[in-house]
Structure formats: structure tokens, C-alpha cells
């Protein structure tokens, strides 16, 4: 009795303890609750901060980029009358918009204060009673050529001299011109940021006359070219008799003594051959004096080829205006590659001199209309180019003053004279392109000050084809810097976007199959011990710095690939072929051997097979190059030898194999499988290997026949995705970027495949499916969302990769799919050029626009990827 009572009490006590334990397990400690709340809050705040950071980056990029598209701002204008007493024939102004000077027809030179019109100094040129009949000046407007009615030409200097004056050396007796400037004895003092003063004064000089013709000079142009050691002074004249002459003086300066030696050559050009009643309206000469252009009032320009001064030729007669419309003004833009022509009907057109190979001109070049700008309301009477940009001003007979930017094809400002518009006037753009000054023949001055920070950039320039100087047609071009300041910057982002997509495409072309096949293999077929070794090794690849990979690609891999390009191409065939041979050999081994060496030994044998086939490709490479590429692969890619059949044969081989394999499966495949099931393992393996060999040879034959047929119909891949070979190219970039991307894709895809529930595999295998069929038709579709995410993560890494592309891609912003040519991506371009870009300059802001473009590209790609992933995920839930 006592024992039973004791047992009952013990059982009751045990039940009570168990009950208390159960009650304790149902209660959550406060520390856990608070920990969860804190963790949830931290995660929420962290997520919100990530969103805020992303939005902040986007807002910052937009803030830097938006000024690119801002319009110009007119800051103000002034108007006053100068006491010239004579008709004004020339105007000049300094870069600070402080001093201006005019030359009057009687030789009077007046220097004045631009903001107020106060006369600063006055000089008088002695023309010896001759009357000025033509005037022209250099791009800087400080050197002027004057043609006279007695057939002589004189050269004048009307420039400005700038000096620095310390505050302690400032002279006494200065008079105030305005709040900024002071004046004394023909000098204007302007305080600068350092506290010292900039001192400006006029420089005037007149050279002796040179007899050029017996007739009055009706048109003249004056240019300075050459180098500092050997400058060239050239001018062209047209006299009243219609004779065109060009004089070129070469000045050789002894840098030790400063002595100058001048040699002058003057030639008469061939006759213009004008019709009766047609007269010359202007003449232009290039700075190197290799061409002269004469305009007429019947709408033509006549171009002379002066490369051989001993034998000048009339190269071209070109109509540049509609019939009956006179050419009323013309000028070169800076660089002298663009000819701006203004017409009597207000038209403003730009012409390029292009090497077209035409037989209608003597030099194979011709003037081609590149742009037709917005026409002015009335006849254009004056054109004046900017000194540092592709801008010019145009004045019509109604007093309209328009500022054009030629490259961006836009009218920056439409200004209107407020004074007497009936008097003829001429304009000039200040050297910094921040203002324009108009002076009428009567001496009335009107000046406008404005700001236009980025006139060369529009959405069309950034994303459309633009016809640049020196190019045969409109194109997408990125070239932010050049060898000289005369070349205009080219800011098309399209080549950079194209290069980004090209690099990502070739990288993914190599990386995606390798990474996904590796993930499927280690997830579904290898032993756990092998997977435990392979996966960490693959993940360690991701820790390699991309700068090291880029260094290896540029200095090691690129030269090797160039030297053994045929072996590399053969390797694309040899390595898969070697793996297939090894697989079929494995099938023919006895089951006991297979079971004994399955796992890690089998994986090592695969590696050995890859190395053996790679060595075989290396050894056979030269013979392969002789057989398919006529012994010189580089010469073949450039189209100098051979046909396109060999390469098309290689490209079409995988597709041909797939086609033959599908045809075999749909015709003989079922019966062959039934027969192999009845055979022992070794015999079935031999039969399967024989089937594979037959399929391979059939694919080889089909690929060659299709390639030969394409050649017969005239198709050649060269000039398209295959072209001339460059050492640093997309092939090398694809190799190395694939090496960097594979770990990302492999790790995420392998995790997604392993996350597939085991009962799905078991069910598939239970119905008789093979492990391969299970992996392809069950596991992979179920894990499709994760696998797709892995691929898109890899693509995001490839799109944003910088250092590999910087070092291995050649940095050539060209648009061609040629796998053997270089490229430049958005990220690489930012890394290369941003350190040298001037803050808030055009190039600086365009680079930030490139960053914004890359940001938007990745955002769009990731958004589309997420939408597709969600669709895959819904389908997986239905399984």
C-alpha cells in the first residue's frame, strides 16, 4: 500500500513538474519581446534609410545634371552713341567686357568704356587720302586688314593690353567710370578678387601700305596661322576687276636673337568666270592659306585649292542658296572646318568640306550642307564667329541680332536693336562668349551681357546623331577632349550606353551557362563532400579585387589571347568536346569502378579532362588557324584574305548540333532508348557514344553546308560582329568579367536549387525520370525565380563593373558589335574623366548625367527582373 501510494505521489509530482514546464514554454520572456521589437524597429529604420539614401543619390544627381538643360539668361544691355564723326568699319572688345574700340572709315580709332560708353582714348590712322573699301580681321579681332580704293592693303592692330597693378602702386587722380572701374590717362583700372587691379589700355598700330592691285579692293580676308616659331600671315583680296589674289607671308623667328625673317608669296588665282551682272559679295581664307572661298550675289560660292601655291586651282563652284538669292555674309567658325553662309532670304546654313571622292571637283572634296539653322526674319547682313566655341552672331537688315550655337543647332538668344535699325551695323561676340556688342555705321553702340553655361548640350546632342566637323555623316560620338582647343567636344552618351550593354552581354554570354551548369551539377549530381569543397572555393573567387583581375587581363591575358587566338577559339569547341568524351567513357565503365570512383575522384577526372583538351587545343591551334583562317586570323578578320565561311561554321555549330539532336529524338530517339534499356551498362554506353559521334558529324556537315550557302548568297560576318582585331577587346573583357560574375550567379542559383523541396525530386524519380530529367524539368522550373534573380544580380554586377573595363577594354567609345574591338562603358568613362573634369563645367555635369543614366538603367533592369521573378514565383507555387 505504501509503495503504491509512493508511486502515485511520484507520478503526480512528475505530472506537476511537466505541467509547470509546459506552462513556462508558453510564456515569452520580456527580454525576448523587447529584443524582437528593437530588431524590428532597427530593420524598419534601416530599410527606410536605404530608401532615403537611394532617393538622396538620385536627387543629388538630378541637381547636378539639370543646369545642362537650363536656358540662357540675359543679364542686361546698354546703348549709347559714340562721337565718331565717320562711318564705323570695325569693332573689337576685350574679354572682360571693359573696353571696346572702333575704327572709322577716315582712320579714327576710338577706345571706350563698354558699360558706360565713356571715351577712354582716341587715335588717328593716316590713310594718305585713300578710302577704305574693304575690311577684315583675324579671329581675335585685334589684327585688321584694310583694303583701299587705290588697290593697296594696310594692316592695323587694335587690341588691348592687360597688366596687373598692385594696390599700393595705384596712381592718384583716378576718375570713376562706374562702381567697378576707374580711369586715368587712357587706362582703365578694375579691382580683382586679390585686392589688386587689372589695368587695361588700347594698343593701336598701322603698318605701311602694300600695293596689291591697280583696281580698288572690294573684298578682303586676313588670317594668322602656323606655329609660334613660324607664324604665317595670309590675306586674300578681290579687286573691282574680279581678280582674286592670295598673299602668304611666313615669319621665321630666331628664338635666340628674336630676329624675324619674312618671306612673302603672292599669286593670282584663276578667273572666277562670273556671268554678266554677277558681283562678288565676300572672300574667306583659311588660316593655313590652303583654300580660299569667294561668294557671289547669285547664290554661289567658289572654292580655290591653294595647297600648291605655285599651281592654284578653282576646285569647286557650289550653289549654297536658292536661285536668285544672294549670299550676303559668310564666315568660318573656330577651327575653320565649318562655313556659315547667310542669304538674302534670311537663311543661315552651315557647310562642311568633306572628302567624298567626287569627280566634280579637282581635289575630290566638296562643300556639303550639314545644318540649316532657323532662318532670320530678313536678309543677313553680318556674321561674326565666337573665338572659343561653335557660336556665331547673325544680324539682319531689320536689326535682329541672333546668337546661334551651330553644333547643338539652337538659337541661344533672339535680340533686337532698340536704336535706328536702318543703318548698317556689325556685331561681335565677346571672347568669353558671354555677351555681344553691336555697332552701327553711325557709331551707335548696343551691347548685351548674358550667361549660357552649357550651350553645346541638348537632349539631341546627348542622345541623337549629330553631324560633327570632319565626319562624313551624322553619328553618335563621345570625345570630350581633343589635341587642340579648336576641336569641339562631343558628348553623345549613346556609345557609352552601347559599350556598357556590349560588355555586359559578352560577360553574361560566357558567365551564365558556366555558372548555371555548375550550380545544377553541384546541387543535383555530385557527392556532398565535393559540394562542400566546390562551393566555398567558388565563393572565394568573389573576393578577388577587380583591379587585380583587370591588371591580369590587360598585361597577361590580352597578349596571350592575341598570340594564341586560334587556340582560344578552338578551345570553345575542344573543352565541351573533351567533357563529352569523358562522360561517354565514364558510362562505359563497369558499375563497380563507377561506384568506387564516384564523388571527388570523378570530379578530379573532369578537371584533368578539361586540362587535357585545353592542351590539345593549344597544340592544334596553329594547324587550326591554317586550315580555317588561311594561316593568319588577324588578316582574315580585317577582310584581306579568305571568306566568311570558317567563322560562320564555328558559330553555327552549336545550333546545328541542337537541330540534329532534336531531329534524332523525334525520329529514332524513342526506339534507341528502348534498345539501350535492354542492354548491359557497358554496351548501352558504347551505343550511346556511337549515337553521339554520329550526331556530331552530322552537325559538322550541316553547319558547314549552311555557312557555305550563306557565303554563296553574299553574307560575310566580317564588318559586323567580327572585324579587325585589337588586343584589348570585348572577348578579353568577356572572359575576365565572366570570371568576376560567375561566383555571384553560381552561389545564388545553387542556393535556389537546393531550396527546392526534396519530395518533388523523390516524386519525379519515383515515376521513372532520370536525375537529369528531374533536374531540368522539375527542380529548375521550381527554382526559376531564384535562378533568374541570380542571373540578374550577375548582370547588375557586369553593368556596373569599372576597373576591369578600364584596364582591359581599350577605352574606345565606338559603336560596333565586333567582339574583337574595344569599348568604353559609362562607369569606366566616369572613372577616367571625372578626376580631370572642371567642377560645374559641361564635361563635369555630363559625367554626372552618365552616372544618372547608369542609375536609371540598373533601376529599370532590376524592376523588370523583379516583375519576371514574381511571375516565376507564382508558377512555382502551383507545382
Amino acid at each position: 500500500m505504501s509503495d503504491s501510494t509512493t508511486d502515485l505521489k511520484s507520478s503526480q509530482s512528475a505530472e506537476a513538474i511537466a505541467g509547470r514546464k509546459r506552462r513556462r514554454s508558453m510564456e515569452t520572456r520580456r527580454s525576448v519581446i523587447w529584443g524582437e521589437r528593437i530588431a524590428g524597429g532597427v530593420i524598419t529604420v534601416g530599410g527606410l534609410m536605404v530608401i532615403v539614401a537611394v532617393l538622396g543619390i538620385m536627387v543629388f544627381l538630378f541637381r547636378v545634371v539639370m543646369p545642362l538643360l537650363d536656358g540662357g539668361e540675359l543679364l542686361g544691355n546698354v546703348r549709347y552713341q559714340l562721337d565718331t564723326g565717320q562711318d564705323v568699319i570695325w569693332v573689337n572688345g576685350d574679354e572682360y567686357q571693359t573696353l571696346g574700340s572702333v575704327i572709322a572709315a577716315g582712320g579714327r580709332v576710338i577706345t571706350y568704356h563698354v558699360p558706360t560708353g565713356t571715351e577712354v582714348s582716341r587715335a588717328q590712322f593716316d590713310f594718305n587720302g585713300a578710302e577704305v573699301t574693304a575690311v577684315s580681321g583675324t579671329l581675335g579681332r585685334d589684327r585688321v586688314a584694310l583694303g583701299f580704293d587705290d588697290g593697296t592693303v594696310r594692316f592695323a592692330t587694335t587690341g588691348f593690353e592687360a597688366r596687373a597693378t598692385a594696390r599700393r602702386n595705384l596712381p592718384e587722380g583716378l576718375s570713376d567710370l562706374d562702381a567697378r572701374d576707374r580711369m586715368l590717362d587712357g587706362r582703365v583700372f578694375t579691382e580683382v578678387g586679390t585686392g589688386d587691379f587689372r589695368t587695361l589700355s588700347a594698343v593701336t598700330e598701322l603698318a605701311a601700305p602694300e600695293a596689291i592691285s591697280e583696281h580698288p579692293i572690294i573684298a578682303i580676308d586676313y588670317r594668322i596661322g602656323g606655329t609660334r616659331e613660324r607664324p604665317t600671315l595670309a590675306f586674300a583680296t578681290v579687286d573691282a576687276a574680279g581678280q582674286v589674289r592670295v598673299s602668304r607671308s611666313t615669319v621665321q623667328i630666331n628664338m635666340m636673337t628674336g630676329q624675324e625673317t619674312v618671306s612673302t608669296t603672292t599669286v593670282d588665282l584663276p578667273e572666277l568666270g562670273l556671268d554678266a551682272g554677277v558681283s562678288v559679295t565676300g572672300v574667306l581664307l583659311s588660316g593655313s592659306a590652303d583654300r580660299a572661298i569667294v561668294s557671289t550675289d547669285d547664290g554661289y560660292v567658289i572654292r580655290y585649292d591653294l595647297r600648291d601655291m605655285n599651281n592654284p586651282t578653282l576646285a569647286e563652284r557650289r550653289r549654297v542658296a536658292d536661285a536668285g538669292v544672294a549670299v550676303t555674309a559668310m564666315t568660318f567658325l573656330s577651327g575653320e572646318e565649318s562655313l556659315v553662309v547667310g542669304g538674302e532670304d534670311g537663311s543661315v546654313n552651315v557647310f562642311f568640306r568633306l572628302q567624298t571622292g567626287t569627280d566634280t571637283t579637282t581635289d575630290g572634296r566638296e562643300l556639303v550642307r550639314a545644318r540649316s539653322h532657323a532662318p532670320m526674319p530678313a536678309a543677313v547682313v553680318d556674321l561674326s564667329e565666337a573665338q572659343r566655341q561653335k557660336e556665331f552672331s547673325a544680324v539682319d537688315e531689320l536689326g535682329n541680332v541672333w546668337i546661334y550655337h551651330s553644333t547643338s543647332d539652337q538659337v541661344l538668344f533672339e535680340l533686337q536693336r532698340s536704336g535706328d535699325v536702318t543703318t548698317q551695323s556689325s556685331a561681335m561676340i565677346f571672347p568669353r562668349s558671354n555677351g555681344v556688342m553691336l555697332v552701327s555705321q553711325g557709331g551707335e553702340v548696343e551691347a548685351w551681357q548674358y550667361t549660357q553655361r552649357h550651350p553645346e548640350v541638348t537632349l539631341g546632342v546627348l542622345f541623337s546623331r549629330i553631324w560633327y566637323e570632319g565626319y562624313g555623316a551624322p553619328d553618335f560620338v563621345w570625345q570630350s577632349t581633343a589635341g587642340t582647343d579648336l576641336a569641339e567636344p562631343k558628348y553623345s552618351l549613346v556609345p557609352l550606353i552601347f559599350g556598357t550593354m556590349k560588355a555586359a552581354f559578352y560577360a553574361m554570354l560566357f558567365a551564365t551557362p558556366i555558372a548555371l551548369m555548375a550550380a545544377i551539377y553541384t546541387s543535383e549530381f555530385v557527392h556532398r563532400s565535393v559540394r562542400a569543397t566546390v562551393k566555398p572555393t567558388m565563393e572565394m573567387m568573389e573576393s578577388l579585387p577587380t583591379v587585380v583581375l583587370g591588371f591580369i587581363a590587360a598585361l597577361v591575358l590580352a597578349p596571350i589571347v592575341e598570340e594564341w587566338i586560334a587556340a582560344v577559339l578552338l578551345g570553345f569547341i575542344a573543352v565541351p568536346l573533351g567533357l563529352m568524351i569523358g562522360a561517354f567513357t565514364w558510362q562505359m565503365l563497369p558499375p563497380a569502378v563507377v561506384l568506387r570512383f564516384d564523388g571527388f575522384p570523378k570530379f578530379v577526372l573532369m578537371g584533368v579532362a578539361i586540362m587535357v583538351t585545353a592542351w590539345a587545343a593549344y597544340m592544334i591551334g596553329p594547324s587550326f588557324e591554317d586550315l580555317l583562317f588561311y594561316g593568319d586570323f588577324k588578316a582574315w578578320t580585317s577582310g584581306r584574305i579568305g571568306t566568311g565561311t570558317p567563322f560562320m561554321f564555328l558559330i553555327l555549330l552549336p545550333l546545328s548540333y541542337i537541330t540534329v539532336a532534336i531531329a534524332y529524338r523525334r525520329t529514332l530517339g524513342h526506339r534507341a532508348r528502348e534498345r539501350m534499356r535492354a542492354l548491359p551498362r557497358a554496351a548501352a554506353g558504347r551505343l550511346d557514344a556511337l549515337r553521339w559521334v554520329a550526331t556530331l558529324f552530322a552537325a559538322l556537315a550541316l553547319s558547314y553546308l549552311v555557312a557555305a550557302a550563306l557565303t554563296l548568297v553574299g553574307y560575310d560576318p566580317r564588318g559586323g560582329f567580327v572585324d579587325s582585331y585589337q588586343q584589348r577587346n570585348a572577348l578579353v573583357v568577356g572572359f575576365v568579367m565572366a570570371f568576376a560574375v560567375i561566383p555571384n550567379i553560381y552561389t545564388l542559383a545553387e542556393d535556389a536549387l537546393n531550396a527546392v523541396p526534396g519530395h518533388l525530386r523523390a516524386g519525379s524519380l519515383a515515376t521513372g525520370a532520370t536525375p537529369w530529367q528531374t533536374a531540368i524539368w522539375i527542380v529548375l522550373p521550381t527554382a526559376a525565380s531564384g535562378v533568374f534573380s541570380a542571373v540578374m544580380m550577375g548582370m547588375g554586377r557586369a553593368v556596373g563593373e569599372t576597373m576591369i573595363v578600364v584596364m582591359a577594354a581599350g577605352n574606345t567609345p565606338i559603336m560596333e558589335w565586333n567582339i574583337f574591338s574595344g569599348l568604353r562603358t559609362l562607369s569606366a568613362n566616369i572613372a577616367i574623366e571625372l578626376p580631370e573634369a572642371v567642377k560645374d563645367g559641361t564635361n563635369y555635369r555630363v559625367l554626372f548625367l552618365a552616372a544618372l543614366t547608369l542609375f536609371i538603367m540598373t533601376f529599370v533592369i532590376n524592376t523588370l527582373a523583379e516583375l519576371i521573378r514574381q511571375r516565376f514565383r507564382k508558377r512555382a507555387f502551383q507545382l
Side-chain angles (χ1 to χ4, degrees), residues 64 478 480-481 491 829-848:
V64 176
W478 173 273
S480 59
T481 58
Y491 290 123
N829 191 67
I830 295 169
I832 292 170
E833 298 198 8
L834 190 58
E836 304 295 331
V838 178
K839 187 177 184 300
D840 295 335
T842 300
N843 190 31
Y844 178 85
R845 296 191 187 278
V846 172
L847 290 175
F848 271 87

Side-chain angles (χ1 to χ4, degrees), residues 519-521 523-525 753 756 760-761 764-765 769-783:
I520 293 173
Y521 182 71
S523 173
E524 304 300 318
F525 297 99
L753 293 170
V756 175
L760 295 178
R761 294 183 178 87
S764 175
L765 295 172
T770 64
W772 175 251
Q773 290 172 331
T774 300
I776 296 300
W777 300 108
I778 301 299
V779 177
L780 187 59
T782 306

Side-chain angles (χ1 to χ4, degrees), residues 209-228:
E210 297 184 23
I212 299 298
S213 172
E214 298 178 353
H215 304 280
I217 305 298
I218 62 172
I220 190 170
D221 194 29
Y222 180 35
R223 300 285 165 171
I224 297 180
T227 62
R228 181 174 180 270

Side-chain angles (χ1 to χ4, degrees), residues 243-264:
Q243 180 62 55
V244 185
R245 294 182 177 86
V246 172
S247 299
R248 180 166 57 183
S249 299
T250 301
V251 183
Q252 187 169 356
I253 302 175
N254 189 317
M255 301 303 293
M256 300 294 294
T257 64
Q259 182 179 359
E260 297 183 357
T261 303
V262 181
S263 57
T264 302

Side-chain angles (χ1 to χ4, degrees), residues 358-495:
T358 179
D359 56 1
T360 60
T361 64
T362 60
D363 57 357
R365 300 171 180 264
E366 60 179 323
L367 291 172
V368 178
R369 180 180 296 178
R371 300 186 187 97
S372 293
H373 292 301
M376 300 197 73
V380 179
V381 296
D382 180 75
L383 292 172
S384 178
E385 72 275 22
Q387 297 183 24
R388 302 170 187 174
Q389 298 188 29
K390 301 301 179 181
E391 295 179 17
F392 63 93
S393 64
V395 182
D396 70 7
E397 61 183 7
L398 297 180
N400 295 292
V401 183
W402 288 10
I403 311 299
Y404 292 86
H405 192 282
S406 180
T407 302
S408 59
D409 192 12
Q410 57 177 331
V411 179
L412 304 179
F413 296 95
E414 295 183 6
L415 309 174
Q416 174 67 46
R417 288 180 60 184
S418 56
D420 182 11
V421 300
T422 60
T423 58
Q424 187 175 350
S425 57
S426 58
M428 65 153 291
I429 297 178
F430 285 103
R432 294 187 178 183
S433 296
N434 58 355
V436 61
M437 182 165 57
L438 184 78
V439 181
S440 70
Q441 283 186 343
E444 185 181 60
V445 178
E446 191 161 6
W448 293 266
Q449 188 179 39
Y450 54 77
T451 177
Q452 179 73 28
R453 288 175 289 182
H454 311 289
E456 64 270 50
V457 175
T458 62
L459 289 177
V461 170
L462 294 169
F463 299 106
S464 299
R465 296 182 186 272
I466 300 297
W467 200 341
Y468 291 104
E469 296 175 348
Y471 287 76
D475 203 354
F476 301 107
V477 184
W478 173 273
Q479 186 183 1
S480 59
T481 58
T484 66
D485 293 335
L486 297 177
E488 58 183 325
K490 305 166 182 67
Y491 290 123
S492 176
L493 292 181
V494 176

Side-chain angles (χ1 to χ4, degrees), residues 179-201:
R180 185 191 70 169
D181 301 326
R182 308 176 195 177
M183 181 182 71
L184 178 67
D185 297 334
R187 293 173 296 167
V188 174
F189 298 84
T190 304
E191 187 173 0
V192 295
T194 60
D196 295 329
F197 286 80
R198 178 177 61 245
T199 305
L200 289 174
S201 59

